[in-house]
Amino acid sequence: MVTPRPIMPGATLGMLGGGQLGRMFTVAARTMGYRVLVLDPDPHSPAGAMADEHVHAGYLDTAALDRLAGECVAVSTEFENVPAEALARLARNCIVRPAGDAVSPTQNRLREKAFFDRHGLPTVPWAAVSTPADLKSALAAVGTPSLLKHAAGGYDGKGQALVDSPDGAADAFAALGEAECILERRVTLALELSVIVCRAVDGTVACYAPGQNVHVDGILSTTTLPAAIDAGMTARARTVAAATAEALGYVGVLGVELFVTGDDEILVNELAPRPHNSGHYTLDAAATTQFEQQVRLLCGFAPGAVDLLSPVAMVNLLGDLWRNGDPDWSRVFATPGAYLHLYGKREPRPGRKMGHINVLAADASTALERARALHAELAAP
Ligand code: AMP
């Protein structure tokens, strides 16, 4: 097979989706000398503000998609729920990475779990639930405690209910509108990790070191590196993440979320077919940022070095922090090793990701302690 020539700086790239991930891609791409077109319906889109051009249109607007495909050599995406039709239409006229086929299993939790099973990737016990009758058999197979989750459309812990008993399961299913769901065994988590995988067109894979994640109310709160795991666990996490990208035939940056159980077993929780929130530390503490990797891989180049340059903790800034007006950012600038990233979103709604701070320090626990203390100071009235 002849490897196509890489796409050189000066070319125009497209980004489907205009949120913070699209924004950080756009900044990286423009820094590297590419032009960027962003397609997003929101006139105040965070990525649109950084792009050479912002096409205000819906993701299924065929004229807008055709314009993107006509003007861009290659297009990437920043969110998994991009309509498959949009990717397919773009792919008729330009390079699309990751491809629709690789994104598809990540758009639905049932498809994703079936994909893990098919490829021998370890995951939690699960069963599909579409009707009250399914719920009974799913409970018999999975047991309790478990979690009932919407199969499609859920993110950041939304569309999920805890199930502690068979009676509770019926209530949970009703609360989720009896929509297509997945019942998952609730496993005891020793810790949560994620691995950002970079896979190039020729199959070359580079995995960043695993980040150690803490979620609060289902939303990522902090990521710390190096994770408090030994070399064996680090290698296993990287191996399973790389195997996942290979099984998908994936080209681009893939976020692989992992559970580590009380028995030190590694389970794949879910996939993000794009740079991941837990990879934002790379903006200040890695040899190459995950967004530069997205540009490199989209353009057909090899991944850049994935070395960690310093212990680091990333803390997310959610809209709740704005409850008393704008936080006093001078506290961040007064903290050595702390770096502020704000996404330019106008409305700080509770739970909305508005930005993050990376704190670099001599070791991971000091970095995390400082990041948490800084966050608490910013939250203080
Ligand atoms: P998800 O949206 O599925 O990634 O879930 C968000 C968070 O909920 C995860 O990062 C875990 O902290 C927790 N969680 C989700 N599924 C499970 C499970 N099957 N067992 C234990 N904890 C879970």
Side-chain angles (χ1 to χ4, degrees):
M1 192 182 90
V2 181
T3 310
R5 282 159 56 87
I7 301 162
M8 290 295 169
T12 302
L13 305 178
M15 172 46 60
L16 203 56
Q20 66 267 22
L21 300 176
R23 178 183 176 98
M24 291 182 268
F25 164 89
T26 301
V27 171
R30 293 197 66 183
T31 302
M32 294 160 78
Y34 293 92
R35 287 189 74 245
V36 180
L37 250 69
V38 165
L39 176 68
D40 189 283
D42 176 3
H44 304 298
S45 124
M50 296 287 182
D52 289 274
E53 230 181 298
H54 175 186
V55 181
H56 300 178
Y59 304 122
L60 287 172
D61 180 321
T62 50
L65 289 168
D66 290 348
R67 184 173 158 211
L68 204 65
E71 288 192 35
C72 301
V73 190
V75 175
S76 195
T77 57
E78 61 137 26
F79 65 119
E80 48 271 49
N81 291 320
V82 53
E85 305 95 281
L87 293 179
R89 189 167 184 107
L90 287 169
R92 295 203 308 225
N93 292 313
C94 70
I95 293 169
V96 178
R97 291 180 180 140
D101 287 354
V103 173
S104 163
T106 71
Q107 294 183 320
N108 178 293
R109 292 182 190 276
L110 293 169
R111 280 209 299 273
E112 194 170 56
K113 290 287 194 288
F115 165 81
F116 295 156
D117 287 355
R118 233 179 12 259
H119 292 277
L121 299 163
T123 192
V124 294
W126 64 278
V129 178
S130 292
T131 64
D134 291 343
L135 187 58
K136 273 203 170 147
S137 52
L139 276 166
V142 173
T144 54
S146 44
L147 272 163
L148 193 64
K149 303 179 180 180
H150 276 151
Y155 66 97
D156 284 347
K158 294 186 179 70
Q160 306 193 3
L162 299 174
V163 175
D164 291 310
S165 67
D167 286 349
D171 294 344
F173 192 40
L176 294 176
E178 302 206 351
E180 186 185 47
C181 282
I182 183 169
L183 186 73
E184 288 182 19
R185 167 94 47 83
R186 206 182 326 149
V187 293
T188 307
L189 301 177
L191 43 97
E192 293 191 63
L193 302 174
S194 55
V195 176
I196 309 299
V197 185
C198 305
R199 189 166 182 275
V201 183
D202 67 359
T204 308
V205 172
C207 293
Y208 287 90
Q212 185 168 337
N213 299 328
V214 174
H215 292 82
V216 174
D217 298 331
I219 304 179
L220 183 68
S221 175
T222 59
T223 298
T224 309
L225 283 101
I229 55 174
D230 63 19
M233 175 84 70
T234 301
R236 281 199 287 142
R238 278 187 151 135
T239 301
V240 77
T244 306
E246 254 153 52
L248 274 175
Y250 195 86
V251 178
V253 176
L254 177 72
V256 181
E257 294 183 26
L258 305 170
F259 291 155
V260 179
T261 67
D263 306 330
D264 272 3
E265 201 185 353
I266 292 183
L267 303 173
V268 185
N269 171 30
E270 62 177 2
L271 307 177
R274 51 177 169 75
H276 192 252
N277 191 169
S278 66
H280 290 355
Y281 77 87
T282 61
L283 288 166
D284 297 301
T288 312
T289 74
Q290 62 170 347
F291 301 100
E292 173 168 341
Q293 304 283 24
Q294 188 179 18
V295 177
R296 282 170 170 256
L297 302 169
L298 174 63
C299 292
F301 293 102
V306 292
D307 309 61
L308 183 66
L309 301 180
S310 164
V312 59
M314 186 277 321
V315 60
N316 266 337
L317 306 174
L318 302 183
D320 315 58
L321 211 56
W322 273 251
R323 108 178 41 86
N324 302 312
D326 278 335
D328 178 5
W329 301 121
S330 62
R331 296 172 189 226
V332 186
F333 302 130
T335 305
Y339 300 96
L340 177 66
H341 299 262
L342 290 175
Y343 307 146
K345 295 182 183 177
R346 294 187 162 199
E347 273 180 64
R349 292 189 296 273
R352 190 176 197 205
K353 290 175 181 169
M354 301 295 291
H356 68 271
I357 297 171
N358 288 329
V359 179
L360 279 57
D363 59 77
S365 50
T366 307
L368 182 58
E369 218 170 274
R370 285 194 189 149
R372 283 194 178 137
L374 195 47
H375 187 270
E377 270 186 56
L378 292 171

